[in-house]
Amino acid sequence: MSHAVVLVSGGAAVTPFTTPDAAAATGLAAGNTLTALRAALRDAGHTVFTAPARIGAGTVDSDTGWQGFSDVHQVLPAAVTINSVGTIDAAGASFAAFLQYLADRHDVTSVDLVCHSMGGLFARATIGITTGHQRAGMPTVRRLVTLGTPWSGALLGDAVAGDIPMDADGEPVTARILHDAVEFARVNSQGAADDVSERFLVGDHGWNAAHAGDLDGIPVTLVAGGLLVHHGGDPRLWPHDGLVSQRSARGDLVPDSVLPIRRVVDRPDDVHSIFFAEMLDLPWEQALTWDPVVLETVISALAEPV
């Protein structure tokens, strides 16, 4: 084996380790974020792994929450498991260790990374680590696809920072989302909430600027949802997919020095995840990682020459 597609889930996600041939035997095979995406890529003939992730440090053997999973075929060590509520850089280090594991145990020499939400930032941190240290034996990253990734911050991070109105310009659904997200972050965040803000990521001294050059030569496809709209509202909020504004997922505030090869795909009728689809009484196919059009977009992006 030489080339593989690796799926990376985002903030506060719980995801099992899956291989091309084995996944969680009970519940959603690759968790509530990545199951449909994994299935579509496997059906298209790709060799697919999913990176394990959990809320807090440790290992992943099940998810007892909504639309969870159990009977994981293999539990990987904590050192190669992403803490999905930790800092971007700490998650990047764990994901780098996971890619090294794939190289050592599965003979993977190159990868395409397909990432949901904050997973895109975790992957970028990993690319920075591997580029900066030129680790011998680490798989080469050929392409990056991000789905709803907060390139310039998420509603949660900007709300925790006090930079967007908690009343969401009077729009009740978004106000509820912000309230629930901030309460979750106060209990569970171990650095993720602070890192996923515009003030941390954007600007001459922001995290993005510090990682200029990491993506040189790597084509990036950015897919952005934006179902929730409030005309005349704060542009840091609207439109958004439930957690990430369209302008953030599009990378609109990210300079070419950071993101030199980009293709943007807008899905204005999509929400961030199936959690928000359920909340808004929408079919799961309007969630970014379950939308058939997005799945085809990902497959097409992985077929582009590099």
Side-chain angles (χ1 to χ4, degrees):
M1 184 183 299
S2 58
H3 183 72
V5 178
V6 180
L7 307 183
V8 189
S9 53
V14 182
T15 303
F17 169 57
T18 75
T19 71
D21 303 314
T26 303
L28 293 177
N32 51 51
T33 299
L34 301 179
T35 293
L37 187 56
R38 174 179 181 265
L41 288 166
R42 290 176 71 239
D43 288 346
H46 289 281
T47 298
V48 186
F49 294 88
T50 62
R54 55 165 283 140
I55 297 173
T59 60
V60 182
D61 59 7
S62 65
D63 176 11
T64 59
W66 181 77
Q67 299 296 335
F69 57 84
S70 59
D71 298 323
V72 174
H73 80 288
Q74 184 179 1
V75 177
L76 296 191
V80 300
T81 300
I82 294 168
N83 175 359
S84 63
V85 293
T87 65
I88 294 170
D89 290 330
S94 297
F95 184 50
F98 174 73
L99 291 183
Q100 189 67 64
Y101 170 87
L102 292 185
D104 295 342
R105 300 296 182 89
H106 293 274
D107 300 322
V108 173
T109 57
S110 65
V111 293
D112 292 327
L113 304 180
V114 181
C115 311
H116 179 245
S117 193
M118 203 172 179
L121 301 180
F122 302 159
R124 287 180 56 209
T126 296
I127 293 168
I129 291 169
T130 58
T131 300
H133 295 280
Q134 298 181 344
R135 294 188 177 185
M138 181 72 74
T140 301
V141 177
R142 296 202 317 197
R143 304 176 185 84
L144 174 64
V145 180
T146 65
L147 312 177
T149 287
W151 287 81
S152 60
L155 275 59
L156 165 62
D158 291 337
V160 169
D163 293 335
I164 59 174
M166 284 295 294
D167 69 350
D169 297 318
E171 199 283 304
V173 172
T174 302
R176 173 188 165 195
I177 291 170
L178 288 175
H179 177 270
D180 291 348
V182 169
E183 287 301 310
F184 179 88
R186 285 173 179 160
V187 174
N188 295 286
S189 177
Q190 298 173 14
D194 293 327
D195 281 9
V196 74
S197 64
E198 186 172 315
R199 66 167 65 185
F200 177 81
L201 294 166
V202 176
D204 292 341
H205 302 289
W207 189 86
N208 281 323
H211 287 264
D214 290 352
L215 294 174
D216 288 355
I218 300 176
V220 182
T221 300
L222 305 87
V223 182
L227 179 70
L228 295 168
V229 179
H230 186 76
H231 297 291
D234 191 315
R236 288 171 294 188
L237 266 172
W238 310 102
H240 66 82
D241 64 11
L243 277 185
V244 177
S245 71
Q246 192 173 49
R247 77 169 189 174
S248 181
R250 289 169 50 92
D252 288 353
L253 302 183
V254 181
D256 290 342
S257 60
V258 175
L259 188 50
I261 309 171
R262 70 177 89 187
R263 174 193 175 213
V264 175
V265 178
D266 286 322
R267 295 296 296 159
D269 292 331
D270 279 5
V271 290
H272 196 71
S273 69
I274 60 173
F275 290 101
F276 292 99
E278 287 282 314
M279 176 190 297
L280 298 171
D281 197 25
L282 300 170
W284 285 8
E285 288 78 12
Q286 278 183 254
L288 283 170
T289 62
W290 292 72
D291 179 351
V293 174
V294 173
L295 302 181
E296 286 299 322
T297 296
V298 173
I299 292 167
S300 296
L302 300 186
E304 293 290 328
V306 290

